[in-house]
Amino acid sequence: MSKIIEISGLYTAEEVCEESGSTIPQLETWTGEGFIEAEGYTEEGEALYSSDSLNAAVHLKKMTELGYDKIELKKIIKKIGFPGSSPKDTEKNRKNTKYLTVGTLSEKTGISPRTLKHWEEKGIIAPDLRSRGGFRMYRDYYVFLCSLIRDLQLFGYSLDEIKDISDYFRDFIAIENGTDSYSTNEKNERLLLMEEEISRLFIKTDELKKGIKRWEDLLRKKSKQITLLKNSTVKKNKSEENNEN
């Protein structure tokens, strides 16, 4: 079972301003000055902010109203940070990540939202996060992953088998980016299982290549035979028509 951590509680710029009582220009200024950073972006370029960013906006709003200027704010934040902010050991791995809505993911892959929802219900895919408004958001690597899932269906894999492979794929990305929750021993075990699965997939793809080659040869042969039979039938029909005339 995959242990990938889902990030929750993302906010749009409008939601941050609504919750903190600030304005869009203020938020843009704070972001430009480096007081607040976007957690990631949608494919359309809309910034998404974490709960830490919302917390920062709340305190920046209060401190601004108390009369602190930019230089004073920087000194205070550098010295003590914002109250209530969570550790940021993995935050650097998520900065500037692009997130896709279900609709955008569907458009990019040609897979219907209904199918994506079914895969989600089966645990084959899982949103990396949900916005505060309830929108399911996927990181952009899901475009490639969904194409692979569709390939596996064509290869005759069951949904349960596809789920296992998808778990390995997502675990690898999490381990590579340092955002997984596995211990060192668990990582090694997981990576070993991935190697074994890759070996099995190589065997399977070799079998598929042989099968595809057989079908290609058969289809080429039958296509030629069909063309010859069609031409023969046409000639026979013409001959019969001439004899009737």
Side-chain angles (χ1 to χ4, degrees), residues 218-230:
L218 176 64
L219 292 174
R220 289 193 189 97
K221 181 179 179 181
K222 292 305 177 184
S223 180
K224 291 179 180 179
Q225 290 176 339
I226 289 170
T227 299
L228 290 173
L229 285 172
K230 187 173 66 175

Side-chain angles (χ1 to χ4, degrees), residues 97-230:
T97 299
K98 283 188 176 180
Y99 293 101
L100 312 176
T101 62
V102 172
T104 303
L105 182 59
S106 175
E107 291 175 6
K108 285 184 168 291
T109 60
I111 299 169
S112 70
R114 182 177 180 180
T115 297
L116 293 174
K117 182 179 179 182
H118 181 60
W119 288 353
E120 186 180 330
E121 291 171 349
K122 291 290 185 179
I124 296 171
I125 63 176
D128 292 281
L129 54 88
R130 293 177 186 270
S131 72
R132 180 171 173 269
F135 292 104
R136 304 193 305 281
M137 307 294 290
Y138 297 86
R139 288 174 65 181
D140 52 6
Y141 72 75
Y142 266 101
V143 174
F144 182 60
L145 177 56
C146 285
S147 297
L148 293 181
I149 292 170
R150 185 167 47 189
D151 290 341
L152 290 173
Q153 286 186 311
L154 290 174
F155 296 162
Y157 281 80
S158 69
L159 290 181
D160 287 339
E161 290 172 321
I162 292 174
K163 181 187 181 306
D164 289 339
I165 295 171
S166 177
D167 282 346
Y168 288 136
F169 185 96
R170 289 180 289 149
D171 271 355
F172 174 80
I173 291 176
I175 291 171
E176 185 180 45
N177 292 333
T179 57
D180 63 288
S181 58
Y182 290 121
S183 67
T184 300
N185 287 337
E186 288 175 323
K187 285 181 185 179
N188 291 333
E189 291 174 3
R190 230 25 214 171
L191 292 170
L192 179 61
L193 289 173
M194 290 177 198
E195 286 183 330
E196 293 174 353
E197 186 61 35
I198 286 173
S199 297
R200 284 193 290 270
L201 285 170
F202 265 124
I203 294 172
K204 186 79 171 182
T205 53
D206 283 342
E207 293 174 353
L208 287 167
K209 288 176 183 177
K210 293 176 183 177
I212 290 170
K213 181 66 168 57
R214 283 193 295 270
W215 273 97
E216 286 178 341
D217 292 342
L218 176 64
L219 292 174
R220 289 193 189 97
K221 181 179 179 181
K222 292 305 177 184
S223 180
K224 291 179 180 179
Q225 290 176 339
I226 289 170
T227 299
L228 290 173
L229 285 172
K230 187 173 66 175

Side-chain angles (χ1 to χ4, degrees), residues 63-103:
M63 294 166 77
T64 300
E65 290 175 345
L66 290 172
Y68 288 97
D69 62 23
K70 180 175 65 177
I71 296 176
E72 291 173 322
L73 287 173
K74 284 188 175 181
K75 289 180 179 179
I76 294 171
I77 293 167
K78 183 178 181 180
K79 186 175 181 179
I80 64 174
F82 292 108
S85 294
S86 59
K88 301 188 178 184
D89 53 337
T90 61
E91 185 176 338
K92 63 185 179 195
N93 296 315
R94 303 195 298 265
K95 291 299 181 192
N96 300 322
T97 299
K98 283 188 176 180
Y99 293 101
L100 312 176
T101 62
V102 172

